[in-house]
């Protein structure tokens, strides 16, 4: 595994290859990231993982500061996985140039997380656009855990006629049901139990919605989540996963999208 800290040496190296499969991450690597990497290794191109905690996608400085970082352990994990390249850029390496393409931000960026984290998706698209320009990957592997992010990156790529293809990867969960996330390391045992109870409660609810073909009173469900131990609910909404339109009746394609807080930790998921 070769490690790069600047785009010029990285570009020099990858120009020699036939193509790159790219997995962008913010580090704090867990089973979710590892599943993306393992999938990428099944494709014919070399695997490049990036670790960059992008300050521009955090709407609160305190959230950026407390985001879990553990580069030493991450490097060990990546070596074991035998990836080809690891790119750990500095802020200047990413933001010290003007990208050729302008970011396209679909209007869906104003919904769900976009409503509660002002500037978040602008920050995500900004950094992804820059990574794409530096790496020019053939494939980009993204997790469905962050479905809204995945959708918006896809729209940007389509609109700007970028040649990279998105590979959608399924959500990996802990044994207790909660989606693997770097932020889970900020939860104590009791908080993990709360998150697990919320996951099972919402999974059951979705099953009931599909079986009985009815929508439940979302405000009542939000109250139930607070009773289960959530400190605050940002949103809980049903969307069709292809069109990203709100559903009027539960059909086979909808997912429940939710974001909530347990004390200082914000968790997002969709089931
Ligand atoms: P992050 O480091 O949180 O920015 O995530 C990097 C990539 O890993 C994104 O494409 C995420 O959607 C994906 N990812 C994060 N958690 C999971 C998970 N539990 N299952 C699958 N993919 C995930």
């Amino acid at each position: 595994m070769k490690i790069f800290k600047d785009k010029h040496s990285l570009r020099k190296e990858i120009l020699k290859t036939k193509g790159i499969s790219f997995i962008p991450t913010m580090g704090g690597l867990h089973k979710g990231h590892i599943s993306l990497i393992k999938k990428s290794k099944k494709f014919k191109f070399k695997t490049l993982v990036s670790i960059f905690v992008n300050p521009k996608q955090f709407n609160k400085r305190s959230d950026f500061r407390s985001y879990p970082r553990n580069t030493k352990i991450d490097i060990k994990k990546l070596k074991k996985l035998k990836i080809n390249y690891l790119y750990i850029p500095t802020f200047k390496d990413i933001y010290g140039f003007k990208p050729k393409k302008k970011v396209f931000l679909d209007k869906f960026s104003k919904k769900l997380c976009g409503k509660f984290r002002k500037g978040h998706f602008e920050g995500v698209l900004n950094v992804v656009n820059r990574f794409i320009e530096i790496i020019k990957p053939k494939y980009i592997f993204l997790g469905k855990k962050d479905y809204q992010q995945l959708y918006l990156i896809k729209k940007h790529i389509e609109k700007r006629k970028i040649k990279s293809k998105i590979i959608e990867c399924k959500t990996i969960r802990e044994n207790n049901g909660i989606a693997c996330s770097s932020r889970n390391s900020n939860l104590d045992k009791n908080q993990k139990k709360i998150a697990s109870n919320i996951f099972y409660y919402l999974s059951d609810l979705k099953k009931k919605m599909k079986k009985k073909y009815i929508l439940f009173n979302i405000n009542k469900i939000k109250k139930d989540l607070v009773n289960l131990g959530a400190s605050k609910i940002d949103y809980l909404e049903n969307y069709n996963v292809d069109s990203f339109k709100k559903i009027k009746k539960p059909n086979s394609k909808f997912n429940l999208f939710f974001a909530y807080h347990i004390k200082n930790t914000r968790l997002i998921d969709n089931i």
Side-chain angles (χ1 to χ4, degrees):
M1 179 178 87
K2 289 189 181 168
I3 303 179
F4 296 91
K5 294 199 168 154
D6 76 284
K7 56 182 176 292
H8 302 293
S9 51
L10 175 76
R11 290 278 311 144
K12 213 168 140 194
E13 170 74 26
I14 62 179
L15 271 177
K16 295 186 276 188
T17 67
K18 290 204 177 81
I20 291 291
S21 286
F22 175 45
I23 301 115
T25 83
M26 297 208 295
L29 300 182
H30 52 67
K31 284 190 290 176
H33 298 117
I34 289 169
S35 77
L36 268 56
I37 294 167
K38 286 195 171 156
K39 192 159 180 175
S40 152
K41 290 191 70 188
K42 291 193 184 132
F43 284 61
K44 61 180 173 180
F45 300 117
K46 296 211 163 157
T47 294
L48 188 161
V49 175
S50 67
I51 297 179
F52 181 61
V53 185
N54 173 31
K56 290 195 189 268
Q57 70 187 69
F58 288 83
N59 51 329
K60 279 192 201 146
R61 192 87 199 139
S62 57
D63 190 25
F64 171 65
R65 273 201 225 106
S66 66
Y67 193 83
R69 293 163 171 87
N70 217 331
T71 313
K72 264 194 190 156
I73 293 180
D74 288 345
I75 291 176
K76 265 195 194 156
K77 288 183 182 170
L78 293 170
K79 271 191 183 153
K80 222 168 144 194
L81 286 162
K82 296 192 168 61
I83 64 157
N84 303 96
Y85 307 120
L86 170 61
Y87 178 34
I88 316 180
T90 58
F91 179 86
K92 195 163 166 259
D93 204 44
I94 294 295
Y95 289 107
F97 70 99
K98 191 171 185 288
K100 291 195 185 87
K101 303 218 188 233
K102 223 180 123 197
V103 163
F104 171 74
L105 201 61
D106 186 86
K107 62 179 188 309
F108 189 57
S109 62
K110 302 281 175 279
K111 309 272 184 200
L112 302 176
C113 282
K115 243 196 263 174
F116 293 87
R117 299 184 74 189
K118 294 275 174 258
H120 169 64
F121 288 121
E122 283 86 343
V124 170
L125 266 301
N126 189 349
V127 79
V128 167
N129 189 40
R130 286 164 186 271
F131 270 123
I132 291 175
E133 204 154 305
I134 295 167
I135 298 163
K136 299 188 172 50
K138 296 271 189 213
Y139 296 112
I140 306 174
F141 294 74
L142 298 172
K144 289 188 189 176
K145 171 178 175 279
D146 302 287
Y147 223 134
Q148 189 178 14
Q149 166 176 289
L150 189 156
Y151 178 84
L152 294 173
I153 294 174
K154 250 178 143 174
K155 289 284 156 193
H156 167 72
I157 283 180
E158 258 170 52
K159 192 80 177 179
R160 297 293 177 244
K161 299 191 172 59
I162 293 167
K163 291 202 183 87
S164 310
K165 186 175 166 12
I166 300 289
I167 307 294
E168 300 186 9
C169 305
K170 70 170 188 197
T171 301
I172 304 298
R173 299 185 176 281
E174 307 283 0
N175 291 336
N176 62 6
I178 60 178
C180 298
S181 164
S182 310
R183 291 176 188 272
N184 294 353
S185 65
N186 290 340
L187 299 173
D188 65 25
K189 212 171 146 198
N190 183 45
Q191 292 171 334
K192 280 189 181 150
K193 185 78 193 134
I194 293 172
S196 171
N197 290 342
I198 288 177
F199 167 76
Y200 286 114
Y201 172 88
L202 291 174
S203 303
D204 272 1
L205 186 83
K206 185 179 173 188
K207 277 184 208 142
K208 280 183 202 148
M209 284 166 82
K210 277 181 122 177
K211 207 165 150 194
K212 296 187 181 160
Y213 218 59
I214 46 165
L215 290 173
F216 284 86
N217 177 336
I218 292 285
N219 286 331
K220 146 116 190 28
I221 296 160
K222 283 184 179 172
K223 274 188 196 147
D224 289 349
L225 298 188
V226 170
N227 288 335
L228 283 171
S231 318
K232 188 168 77 122
I233 319 294
D234 278 354
Y235 61 80
L236 173 69
E237 294 184 36
N238 302 303
Y239 275 92
N240 176 295
V241 287
D242 292 330
S243 64
F244 268 107
K245 293 219 161 70
K246 267 203 177 174
I247 56 156
K248 302 225 163 47
K249 271 187 176 180
N251 57 21
S252 58
K253 279 281 179 77
F254 83 97
N255 267 11
L256 262 176
F257 288 80
F258 53 97
Y260 67 96
H261 300 249
I262 301 178
K263 295 259 170 68
N264 294 327
T265 309
R266 183 176 187 270
L267 299 170
I268 69 163
D269 200 351
N270 65 93
I271 45 183

